[in-house]
């Protein structure tokens, strides 16, 4: 009996998970040779367009290795009754941990201090500018989903007061609700962006939000680049409208605006929020489990409502 065929547009990691996929499935990587496939494995950043779906008339499942679906044409998937799965929960702690790390790196000038030493400035008698404390500050979370709430747990554990904004007030939390992003920015010193991206919230963190955050404020984005207006952020950093930023995501990855590259008070990482071996293995296992469920005709473990 032949193995089920699958189009793979994004690799599973670690390597043993990719090997498990290859053991159980006939793996294709050329979409033009995949007209008969029913399953596609992709990622949140790679996605799947309507044009790509049109090349696969038998497509029935899009398995996303990640939680972002903004690059998947969900309207087309719904129209064609194509199921979509993601890998929620298993990466929440890793991404929340990354957000917290970026906050410390930005506030305490950790990356800047590293360059300061390597460039010989310390040995030459230079003094690194003073940083600021993260502890004892007020944290705002833009996007109070799985990742946002896990981050809130970590922040509360460190003694920070936590504010959040979401589509509606959540009754099962002690954190303080803010009706919109502007009021959230006014309430906090550290603004963490963990929301999912869509056409309605592009540039949500722009000049007005950054101005409301103020001179002591720090922006941390571990969600999607388009949620933060990169030009407005660069100007806010250059003019000291805010104190700093930590960014793991960008509009046009892997390309980063030159103004952000040059900003000493901006810590940059290459979209590695979930890039721990434990998180990636758990994500890959959930992908494999969803694929196995589909092949066996069983309910999907983590379907995404399209």
């Amino acid at each position: 009996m032949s193995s089920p065929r699958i189009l793979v547009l994004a690799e599973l990691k670690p390597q043993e998970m990719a090997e498990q996929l290859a053991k159980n499935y006939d793996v294709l990587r050329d979409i033009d040779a995949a007209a008969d496939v029913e399953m596609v494995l992709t990622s949140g950043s790679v996605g799947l367009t309507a044009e790509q779906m049109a090349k696969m008339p038998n497509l029935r499942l899009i398995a996303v290795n990640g939680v972002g679906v903004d690059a998947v044409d969900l309207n087309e998937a719904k129209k064609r009754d194509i199921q979509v799965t993601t890998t929620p929960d298993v990466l929440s702690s890793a991404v929340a941990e990354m957000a917290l790390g970026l906050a410390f790196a930005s506030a305490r000038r950790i990356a800047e201090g590293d360059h300061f030493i390597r460039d010989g400035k310390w040995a030459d008698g230079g003094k690194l500018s003073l940083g600021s404390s993260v502890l004892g500050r007020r944290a705002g979370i833009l996007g109070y989903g799985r990742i946002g709430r896990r981050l809130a747990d970590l922040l509360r554990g460190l003694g920070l007061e936590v504010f959040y904004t979401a589509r509606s007030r959540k009754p099962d939390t002690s954190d303080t609700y803010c009706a919109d992003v502007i009021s959230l920015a006014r309430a906090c010193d550290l603004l963490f962006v963990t929301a999912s991206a869509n056409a309605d919230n592009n540039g949500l963190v722009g000049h007005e939000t950054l101005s409301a955050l103020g001179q002591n404020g720090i922006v941390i984005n571990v969600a999607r680049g388009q949620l933060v207006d990169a030009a407005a952020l660069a100007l806010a950093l250059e003019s000291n409208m805010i104190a700093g930023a930590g960014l793991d995501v960008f509009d046009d990855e892997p390309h980063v605006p030159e103004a952000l590259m040059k900003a000493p008070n901006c810590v940059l990482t290459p979209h590695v929020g979930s890039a721990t071996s434990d998180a990636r293995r758990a994500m890959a296992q959930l992908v494999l489990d969803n694929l196995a469920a589909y092949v066996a005709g069983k309910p999907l473990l983590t379907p995404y409502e399209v």
Side-chain angles (χ1 to χ4, degrees):
M1 182 176 176
S2 60
S3 300
R5 288 159 64 83
I6 183 171
L7 175 66
V8 174
L9 300 178
E11 298 299 325
L12 294 182
K13 294 181 180 180
Q15 180 59 33
E16 64 263 26
M17 307 308 287
E19 292 171 357
Q20 186 65 39
L21 179 73
K23 177 181 177 181
N24 295 335
Y25 300 92
D26 180 7
V27 172
L28 305 175
R29 291 183 170 80
D30 181 3
I31 194 169
D32 291 324
D36 63 333
V37 303
E38 295 184 20
M39 301 176 291
V40 170
L41 167 57
T42 187
S43 67
S45 57
V46 174
L48 198 68
T49 66
E51 289 76 18
Q52 290 173 315
M53 294 182 205
K55 296 183 177 184
M56 295 171 282
N58 296 328
L59 183 61
R60 294 295 176 267
L61 176 67
I62 301 170
V64 178
N65 186 27
V67 294
V69 292
D70 42 296
V72 176
D73 193 321
L74 296 176
N75 289 331
E76 183 66 14
K78 184 175 183 178
K79 186 194 310 182
R80 289 183 46 185
D81 198 26
I82 298 170
Q83 298 182 89
V84 178
T85 64
T86 58
T87 59
D89 292 327
V90 293
L91 53 72
S92 297
S93 288
V95 179
E97 179 183 69
M98 186 69 182
L100 193 56
L102 284 170
F104 277 107
S106 180
R108 296 303 307 271
R109 298 182 179 269
I110 292 173
E112 192 177 345
D114 178 83
H115 291 302
F116 189 83
I117 293 175
R118 294 177 190 276
D119 293 342
K121 294 179 181 178
W122 193 27
D124 289 342
K127 297 291 184 182
L128 186 68
S129 298
L130 294 176
S132 59
S133 179
V134 168
L135 303 182
R137 302 184 79 178
R138 297 165 301 169
I141 299 178
L142 172 56
Y144 205 61
R146 291 180 175 92
I147 293 170
R149 297 194 75 149
R150 181 67 185 108
L151 175 60
D153 292 340
L154 297 177
L155 293 166
R156 268 186 263 103
L158 291 170
L160 277 74
E161 186 177 5
V162 179
F163 299 77
Y164 73 96
T165 189
R167 291 187 180 93
S168 61
R169 188 188 303 270
K170 308 302 178 185
D172 58 341
T173 179
S174 61
D175 299 331
T176 303
Y177 175 71
C178 295
D180 54 56
V181 66
I182 301 300
S183 58
L184 179 70
R186 289 198 184 103
C188 70
D189 309 298
L190 305 171
L191 178 60
F192 292 92
V193 183
T194 60
S196 58
N198 56 58
D200 296 330
N201 60 15
N202 283 353
L204 186 60
V205 179
H207 174 81
E208 188 177 2
T209 302
L210 296 168
S211 179
L213 186 61
Q215 291 184 333
N216 295 321
I218 294 174
V219 175
I220 306 298
N221 189 5
V222 291
R224 284 290 184 265
Q226 60 263 40
L227 289 165
V228 177
D229 183 328
L233 177 60
L235 182 60
L237 291 167
E238 182 182 5
S239 65
N240 295 315
M241 178 186 289
I242 64 171
L247 308 175
D248 187 48
V249 289
F250 307 90
D251 280 337
D252 184 25
E253 297 176 359
H255 308 291
V256 179
E258 189 68 21
L260 294 178
M261 296 272 281
K262 291 181 176 179
N265 50 346
C266 185
V267 179
L268 310 172
T269 52
H271 202 153
V272 290
S274 66
T276 69
S277 57
D278 291 338
R280 290 292 171 88
R281 183 176 289 105
M283 290 166 62
Q285 186 60 59
L286 189 48
V287 169
L288 292 173
D289 290 346
N290 273 308
L291 293 173
Y294 171 78
V295 171
K298 297 180 179 179
L300 299 172
L301 279 73
T302 52
Y304 185 88
E305 197 67 39
V306 298

